[in-house]
Amino acid sequence: MFPSIHIGEFELHLYALIFIAGVAVAVLIARRLCGRVSLPKPDVLYGTLYAFIGILIGSKLVYMITMLPKAINNWDLICQTYPGIPGRLFFLFNLLFGGLVYYGGLIGAVLFLFIYCRVYKVDFVAFADIFAVMIPFCHGIGRIGCFLTGCCYGIEYHGPFSVQFPYHAEMPELSAVPRFPVQLLEMALNMIFFGVMMFLFLKIKIYGGRLLGIYLVYYAVARYFLEMLRGDKIRGSVGAFSTSQLISLILLPLGVYLIIKGLPDRLRFKSY
């Protein structure tokens, strides 16, 4: 576990630094690709800023939704642990800043990107093609940050490549047993698929929003099985499925539809 670095009196959280660096590199790559779908370079940067806001809002909102049933069911215990109004406020603060859900960030990013394209008359279909290529790259970089921070950790595992995290007061259960390095596996899968998406974009020239469908199908299947290797159950569940597995099952047919039909031309809000 290596969650942060200290520079003088300042503490810099590595997850945020690594993810922002990944987004910055992705923007540079996207600006080199955007001419193939007639997307102006300035819009790549501005649209990414909108998508980044959507990531923050969506990932936090879905996290809070998944935590709400647990908070309601354990409200008496929460009141004992966090007594009085100051305690309740501290609990709400922890809930507000305590975690993120990837699928919420993905949905938020697409929604805010759509808003940007609609308001500023930018081709959303072309942006979706570029966006789909860059998602696995950014996500893969982000999982490196997860590994260093210790979040999204794996199940108990004593086989090859198992990881023994050091003790951390905020997550004492993390270091109790060796863990499967699911963060690094997901990072590797995302980086491999980034190469596949680049090939489909540059060589096969699959456009029209179909790349977004290919990504959704790939990640829905991958995430469904990756959830079986996750040891953190904080994100909640619905029946026999984790929250992310349920969202995967919902997004899978949408991805198949996009592969077959693509995005409609009415979403090309072009003014150039």
Side-chain angles (χ1 to χ4, degrees):
M1 243 179 118
F2 190 50
S4 61
I5 57 176
H6 292 82
I7 302 177
E9 298 181 356
F10 295 97
E11 181 181 13
L12 300 177
H13 294 279
L14 283 178
Y15 180 89
L17 287 176
I18 290 173
F19 181 70
I20 292 173
V23 171
V25 173
V27 169
L28 294 177
I29 298 173
R31 285 170 63 89
R32 296 292 298 271
L33 301 178
C34 62
R36 293 175 178 266
V37 289
S38 302
L39 186 68
K41 286 185 177 182
D43 286 309
V44 172
L45 176 59
Y46 301 141
T48 300
L49 292 176
Y50 268 68
F52 192 77
I53 295 172
I55 290 172
L56 295 178
I57 295 176
S59 59
K60 175 52 62 179
L61 181 61
V62 173
Y63 171 77
M64 294 182 70
I65 291 173
T66 60
M67 291 297 294
L68 187 60
K70 185 177 180 179
I72 293 174
N73 293 333
N74 296 277
W75 185 246
D76 291 339
L77 178 60
I78 292 172
C79 291
Q80 295 175 11
T81 308
Y82 303 96
I85 295 178
R88 308 291 194 282
L89 292 175
F90 181 73
F91 169 76
L92 291 174
F93 178 85
N94 284 340
L95 183 62
L96 184 60
F97 294 98
L100 304 169
V101 173
Y102 170 75
Y103 266 136
L106 175 63
I107 295 170
V110 173
L111 177 60
F112 271 66
L113 185 60
F114 174 83
I115 292 172
Y116 172 80
C117 292
R118 183 70 180 86
V119 171
Y120 294 101
K121 306 301 181 184
V122 178
D123 188 344
F124 177 73
V125 178
F127 222 135
D129 291 325
I130 296 290
F131 189 69
V133 176
M134 294 300 109
I135 294 172
F137 177 83
C138 292
H139 194 190
I141 295 295
R143 284 308 186 204
I144 298 174
C146 288
F147 180 76
L148 293 175
T149 304
C151 64
C152 307
Y153 55 83
I155 58 174
E156 180 178 350
Y157 173 69
H158 297 268
F161 308 110
S162 63
V163 176
Q164 182 71 58
F165 286 95
Y167 177 79
H168 195 281
E170 294 183 5
M171 291 186 291
E173 75 282 358
L174 178 62
S175 60
V177 295
R179 300 282 177 179
F180 183 85
V182 65
Q183 309 101 317
L184 297 183
L185 174 60
E186 189 167 358
M187 179 273 293
L189 292 175
N190 272 298
M191 288 307 183
I192 292 171
F193 196 68
F194 167 65
V196 172
M197 293 290 277
M198 286 287 285
F199 177 77
L200 295 176
F201 183 88
L202 294 174
K203 300 299 183 180
I204 308 300
K205 298 180 180 179
I206 298 177
Y207 304 141
R210 289 180 172 82
L211 282 177
L212 183 59
I214 292 172
Y215 171 77
L216 290 177
V217 169
Y218 152 75
Y219 192 69
V221 174
R223 183 59 182 265
Y224 186 91
F225 289 103
L226 284 168
E227 283 292 293
M228 299 178 184
L229 300 174
R230 292 278 289 264
D232 57 329
K233 304 301 181 182
I234 192 173
R235 291 154 293 110
S237 61
V238 180
F241 303 104
S242 71
T243 302
S244 292
Q245 284 179 322
L246 184 61
I247 296 175
S248 294
L249 293 174
I250 294 172
L251 292 182
L252 181 61
L254 174 60
V256 173
Y257 175 83
L258 288 177
I259 292 174
I260 297 172
K261 295 292 187 179
L263 289 169
D265 284 340
R266 65 176 179 272
L267 299 182
R268 297 183 183 275
F269 311 116
K270 294 193 293 185
S271 63
Y272 47 86

